[in-house]
Amino acid sequence: MSTPHNLGFARMGANRELKKAEEAFWSRKLSQDDLLQTARKLREQHWSWQAAAGLPILPCGDFSLYDQVLDTALLFDVIPSRFRGLHAEDELTLYFAMARGTAGNDGVPALEMTKWFDTNYHYLVPEFSASQQFRLARNLPLDNFREAAQIGFAARPVLLGPITFLLLGKMKEADSEPLDLLDRLLPAYETLLQSLAAAGVSWVQIDEPVLATDLPGATRQALVRAFNRLARVAPLRILLATYFGALGDNLPTALQLPVAALHLDLVRGPEQLEAAIASAPDALTLSLGLIDGRNIWKTDLGQALDLAERAAGKLGPEKIMIAPSCSLLHVPIDLTLETKLAPEVKDWLAFGRQKLDEVVLLSRAINEGRTRVREALDANEAALSRRKQSPLIHNPSVQDRLAAIKPEDFTRPLDFVARKKLQQARLALPPLPTTTIGSFPQTPELRRERARRRKGEITAEQYEQFVEGEIAQTIREQERLGLDVLVHGEPERNDMVEYFGELLSGFAFTENGWVQSYGARCVKPPIIFGDVMRSGPMTVKWWQFAQSLTKRPVKGMLTGPVTILEWSFVRDDQPRRDTCFQLALALRDEILDLEKAGCRVVQLDEPALREGMPLAKAEQSAYLDWAVNAFRLATSGVAGATQIHTHMCYAEFNDILHAIAAMDADVISMESARSQMELMDSFARYHYKNDVGPGIYDIHSPRIPSTEEMRGLLEKALVIIPAEQLWVNPDCGLKTRSWAEVTSALHNLVQAAQSLRVP
Ligand code: GLN
Ligand code: ZN
């Protein structure tokens, strides 16, 4: 009998209950007990759904109040010394301090945050020191297992594996590697597994997603060493979970590890199944990740069954498990909550709960034969063919324009040096020019007005008037603070992708399709189901209004094609590149309209460029080629005197500097405050020629950095980057902060820049 199972579930709740409870707790409107009670209820709800779908064993410990990597750090007592003082206070204070930093003059900066593999989920980066000690401290997996058992659910604790945990972390000391700590870490994992075994746990899931990346031989050996030790904790059975790609060269190693089951992502890497079947040891169970945990389309069940039957035929049905490709953390919870989607589009989709139904159905088809589930299979096939033939998807004029793109469409008419001269003459900016990334606080009033507009309680004119008031205030404040290149503040946007999606054809939107981005922050990715086209200007009116209020340049503010693509659920019936180029063409038209209206500076944000990169090295350069080309296609239509900015945040950029350079933006602003300017070293070493603005204000923390602190960061940057190249800006947009925080921080930021300007 094959077993259906799941690697992890979303945490926020179908109505984002966790987010609401946490935000209330942080603003002291909810007690700790009530927060924990909400979390408990959510876990119970999510287990109930999974059990009701027909899963005999449920993941536990996949739930987190903020992030599973932070949970793992605390599980093993990995607490950087700056947080030790908070130990005396309660556990949650420490937990949220590590996640978010603390406010006030003696505030402590949070852990660094970065993207979880190629997803838009952000994890907190563990900080290790060479003298790091590990011990089993905060045993959440055990607590959650007991909690599930108490309710009556058989559960399987989900742990982040030791190798991935170490490799995701950072060493304080430059001359040491996290993997050096493995031998000290393993005993703590052993103690953990022993505690689980003693509590009656039979299966434990250990996630090692690094197996989907290229690993040096030494890391593979470390994996073997680690699992050899962990496997000795009898009578526990280990399910080793890999996801987000094929294992490639790591497959033989993974297959030989002494684990009871190995999970493979067969959505991203279907081809690895044959090799796995061929060389799986007799005792090994294969868990087949056949349902896409990263996208929202109905599975082609017939095709998935072909793979499952092939595995079942070779290994025996009792040696296979059926699962989503990865945790369902990355898809919305429940399609049935959507009441406004066009029925034709809804018919093509499956969210988390529907995916579990697919998992169970596939498993039944294996165990009982296709004929027993014939009706469901036929319905699935019919839906897929309705999608293929739908006129909603195909727009010949878009396809024609795509086919007619010429090589010169990707290159600006002048090189950077020539452009910079023209731009300097036109903009006359001081040295170390100051700017912000785009958004200003999205205040409760602003959200309220938007909600009222959506409900039809105010007219479009009333709403526009309100937005104009916000823009006017934003311009006034920036002038008062002394910023050089202004922004309109993006008050008309609820979200930097959704806003554009709503104005483009080929997009659909959900009411409840939330996905966790980091901590309590969720995003509601649009669904790109068809050819993308712009029907008219999307931002020009707002920009014009903002520019009419000031002499200083106001940036036109757009979201880049790769980011719109990455932060949407993208159609899987054509190459992602084609969809991305369609987006680029629409944005190119928008940039030209801005330029025509008199806009001198346009920013095209690409914060998601790095996260879209495939994990396997062999696929990376092809991706970077088209991703960079999409940016160039969007930005190359303008004159040399028009300054193009881009912005990126939250990722490791060191390995894609060549691609960043190839984008050829005149100015790039980047997140770097939390990592203390480390990034600038790489830019200097790379001899990056265009202008850069390393962020000097970590906007994800309520903490307000002083003038001295930001001046210190700028001085650090100036040691490695020539002053003529340096811009001064925050890490990212300011939408999540309050006006009080923003004005204090930006005041200090402007002072820091001005104090360094040579007269
Ligand atoms: N312009 C956007 C903003 O300021 C950029 C946000 C981002 O990088 N995620 O909000
Ligand atoms: Zn950003």
Side-chain angles (χ1 to χ4, degrees):
M1 289 275 280
S2 77
T3 320
H5 77 114
N6 183 23
L7 299 183
F9 201 76
R11 302 149 180 169
M12 283 295 143
N15 294 305
R16 287 180 300 156
E17 292 90 334
L18 184 61
K19 170 198 179 66
K20 291 168 193 165
E22 287 184 326
E23 287 176 351
F25 173 72
W26 293 332
S27 57
R28 296 181 203 283
K29 287 181 200 129
L30 191 79
S31 72
Q32 172 163 330
D33 281 353
D34 288 341
L35 171 63
L36 296 178
Q37 178 62 19
T38 301
R40 235 185 331 264
K41 276 204 203 123
L42 284 171
R43 285 191 293 267
E44 179 168 356
Q45 174 73 84
H46 299 163
W47 284 324
S48 308
W49 283 335
Q50 296 175 79
L55 303 188
I57 187 164
L58 315 175
C60 73
D62 54 329
F63 185 89
S64 175
L65 283 175
Y66 205 95
D67 166 46
Q68 74 273 13
V69 183
L70 174 61
D71 291 347
T72 310
L74 282 162
L75 172 63
F76 296 122
D77 205 30
V78 179
I79 303 171
S81 53
R82 66 179 179 282
F83 298 104
R84 286 280 168 188
L86 292 160
H87 239 164
E89 304 192 31
D90 61 283
E91 221 179 60
L92 268 193
T93 306
L94 170 72
Y95 183 77
F96 287 129
M98 285 175 73
R100 310 172 69 227
T102 57
N105 287 339
D106 51 354
V108 184
L111 294 183
E112 248 187 84
M113 187 159 68
T114 196
K115 276 167 180 158
W116 174 246
F117 298 90
D118 62 349
T119 74
N120 184 29
Y121 174 82
H122 304 66
Y123 70 92
L124 289 154
V125 180
E127 287 175 31
F128 302 117
S129 69
S131 61
Q132 190 69 51
Q133 298 296 323
F134 301 93
R135 68 180 183 92
L136 180 59
R138 188 170 161 271
N139 199 341
L140 271 188
L142 179 60
D143 294 348
N144 282 315
F145 174 79
R146 287 197 171 128
E147 190 179 294
Q150 233 167 33
I151 312 173
F153 295 124
R156 179 183 68 211
V158 179
L159 310 176
L160 185 58
I163 305 299
T164 300
F165 176 51
L166 288 176
L167 290 181
L168 291 181
K170 268 195 174 174
M171 292 302 287
K172 222 163 59 191
E173 300 82 359
D175 58 344
S176 53
E177 296 287 332
L179 268 191
D180 299 344
L181 303 172
L182 182 62
D183 286 322
R184 258 180 268 161
L185 174 61
L186 287 177
Y189 266 92
E190 282 172 330
T191 314
L192 169 64
L193 293 187
Q194 277 151 7
S195 78
L196 296 177
V201 169
S202 54
W203 276 96
V204 62
Q205 173 184 327
I206 303 188
D207 288 8
E208 289 287 9
V210 289
L211 273 163
T213 65
D214 301 88
L215 296 176
T219 307
R220 269 186 235 152
Q221 280 155 22
L223 258 158
V224 173
R225 201 147 49 85
F227 279 86
N228 276 332
R229 276 186 70 167
L230 300 186
R232 263 187 261 139
V233 185
L236 267 191
R237 276 177 294 175
I238 296 176
L239 162 69
L240 170 60
T242 69
Y243 38 81
F244 302 152
L247 300 195
D249 293 346
N250 301 324
L251 183 62
T253 311
L255 285 169
Q256 292 311 319
L257 292 175
V259 296
L262 173 66
H263 174 83
L264 299 173
D265 181 339
L266 297 178
V267 173
R268 291 275 177 91
E271 69 291 344
Q272 60 185 337
L273 181 62
E274 278 310 312
I277 291 174
S279 41
D282 286 345
L284 186 70
T285 294
L286 283 186
S287 163
L288 314 179
L290 290 166
I291 308 296
D292 196 347
R294 296 287 298 277
N295 215 334
I296 42 65
W297 307 104
K298 267 183 185 157
T299 305
D300 184 334
L301 292 175
Q303 210 172 38
L305 255 184
D306 290 344
L307 289 181
E309 282 168 352
R310 167 111 190 116
K314 289 276 176 184
L315 307 172
E318 67 292 342
K319 278 278 146 49
I320 66 166
M321 298 160 103
I322 310 277
S325 58
C326 60
S327 163
L328 295 177
L329 180 64
H330 310 290
V331 288
I333 292 182
D334 191 354
L335 183 65
T336 64
L337 300 177
E338 300 304 323
T339 57
K340 295 198 179 128
L341 273 175
E344 187 169 0
V345 175
K346 193 172 171 183
D347 175 46
W348 307 334
L349 308 178
F351 289 179
R353 293 189 64 190
Q354 290 70 41
K355 285 173 187 288
L356 291 177
D357 294 338
E358 294 184 336
V359 165
V360 171
L361 192 86
L362 285 182
S363 183
R364 274 193 61 200
I366 290 295
N367 295 339
E368 301 167 24
R370 283 194 192 216
T371 42
R372 290 295 294 273
V373 292
R374 174 57 47 207
E375 227 172 283
L377 293 180
D378 287 348
N380 173 262
E381 207 182 302
L384 297 184
S385 86
R386 282 193 294 271
R387 178 178 165 207
K388 233 178 251 143
Q389 284 148 24
S390 170
L392 290 181
I393 291 181
H394 309 284
N395 182 336
S397 71
V398 175
Q399 299 285 356
D400 292 348
R401 194 171 170 205
L402 199 64
I405 297 175
K406 299 179 293 298
E408 56 268 33
D409 296 337
F410 295 99
T411 308
R412 295 190 67 180
L414 296 174
D415 69 8
F416 173 68
V417 178
R419 297 196 309 257
K420 185 161 175 165
K421 265 198 212 111
L422 294 177
Q423 292 162 15
Q424 255 167 352
R426 191 175 185 208
L427 296 169
L429 297 170
L432 305 180
T434 53
T435 191
T436 59
I437 307 305
S439 59
F440 267 73
Q442 294 256 333
T443 58
E445 300 81 69
L446 180 50
R447 284 181 219 282
R448 198 188 55 219
E449 292 303 304
R450 190 173 296 131
R452 288 176 65 195
R453 175 68 202 121
R454 273 191 196 259
K455 287 187 216 137
E457 289 170 18
I458 53 171
T459 63
E461 292 72 48
Q462 285 172 315
Y463 176 64
E464 278 180 26
Q465 238 168 39
F466 181 82
V467 169
E468 286 187 353
E470 294 282 306
I471 293 177
Q473 186 197 351
T474 305
I475 296 289
R476 249 193 331 270
E477 281 300 324
Q478 292 174 93
E479 288 203 320
R480 191 181 63 76
L481 290 161
L483 286 150
D484 301 305
V485 175
L486 310 193
V487 297
H488 77 293
E490 306 178 19
E492 78 287 13
R493 300 181 197 174
N494 42 342
D495 177 277
M496 65 188 284
V497 171
E498 189 172 64
Y499 178 77
F500 291 96
E502 282 179 343
L503 297 169
L504 294 164
S505 65
F507 281 75
F509 298 88
T510 64
E511 294 160 86
N512 291 294
W514 296 99
V515 179
Q516 187 177 13
S517 171
Y518 66 89
R521 194 160 176 79
C522 301
V523 293
K524 193 150 60 68
I527 296 167
I528 308 181
F529 63 82
D531 289 336
V532 174
M533 201 171 83
R534 189 189 78 136
S535 51
M538 304 184 282
T539 61
V540 177
K541 190 181 67 186
W542 301 119
W543 174 84
Q544 258 167 337
F545 176 75
Q547 187 65 80
S548 75
L549 303 172
T550 179
K551 294 226 153 27
R552 303 184 194 201
V554 176
K555 283 194 265 196
M557 196 59 64
L558 304 170
T559 305
V562 183
T563 298
I564 296 183
L565 188 84
E566 281 306 317
W567 291 354
S568 299
F569 289 116
V570 182
R571 58 193 287 191
D572 55 359
D573 59 347
Q574 69 179 20
R576 287 171 77 80
R577 168 195 168 277
D578 292 359
T579 307
C580 196
F581 278 19
Q582 292 183 359
L583 287 161
L585 287 171
L587 289 161
R588 182 181 174 103
D589 295 346
E590 181 72 13
I591 295 177
L592 287 170
D593 279 346
L594 280 166
E595 187 182 51
K596 226 182 283 158
C599 184
R600 291 164 281 175
V601 185
V602 179
Q603 178 170 312
L604 193 63
D605 293 324
E606 284 292 24
L609 188 107
R610 174 66 176 79
E611 80 190 31
M613 192 157 84
L615 299 174
K617 286 216 174 70
E619 296 159 29
Q620 291 174 352
S621 66
Y623 161 77
L624 287 174
D625 265 5
W626 66 251
V628 167
N629 274 333
F631 183 88
R632 296 177 62 121
L633 180 59
T635 53
S636 292
V638 292
T642 301
Q643 189 170 68
I644 298 286
H645 288 221
T646 191
H647 164 73
M648 295 185 183
C649 46
Y650 293 114
E652 293 296 337
F653 294 110
N654 289 325
D655 51 348
I656 59 158
L657 282 172
H658 59 287
I660 293 177
M663 289 164 75
D664 198 24
D666 297 304
V667 184
I668 180 168
S669 61
M670 318 191 77
E671 183 271 336
S672 49
R674 278 196 192 186
S675 60
Q676 299 281 312
M677 300 286 123
E678 254 169 48
L679 192 58
M680 287 305 101
D681 274 331
S682 330
F683 272 79
R685 254 181 280 123
Y686 186 82
H687 298 295
Y688 186 78
K689 292 279 182 308
N690 302 15
D691 289 6
V692 272
I696 57 171
Y697 162 30
D698 170 14
I699 59 88
H700 289 88
S701 167
R703 202 176 141 267
I704 294 168
S706 67
T707 303
E708 293 67 42
E709 179 180 335
M710 288 193 274
R711 188 187 151 104
L713 289 176
L714 286 176
E715 281 168 337
K716 249 177 149 168
L718 279 168
V719 174
I720 35 188
I721 295 275
E724 312 80 69
Q725 251 181 294
L726 194 64
W727 284 64
V728 179
N729 47 258
D731 266 351
C732 192
L734 304 167
K735 59 173 166 266
T736 56
R737 300 264 61 92
S738 70
W739 271 104
E741 289 165 336
V742 161
T743 44
S744 309
L746 290 182
H747 170 83
N748 295 351
L749 176 141
V750 171
Q751 297 309 307
Q754 286 179 352
S755 74
L756 286 169
R757 285 180 187 159
V758 267

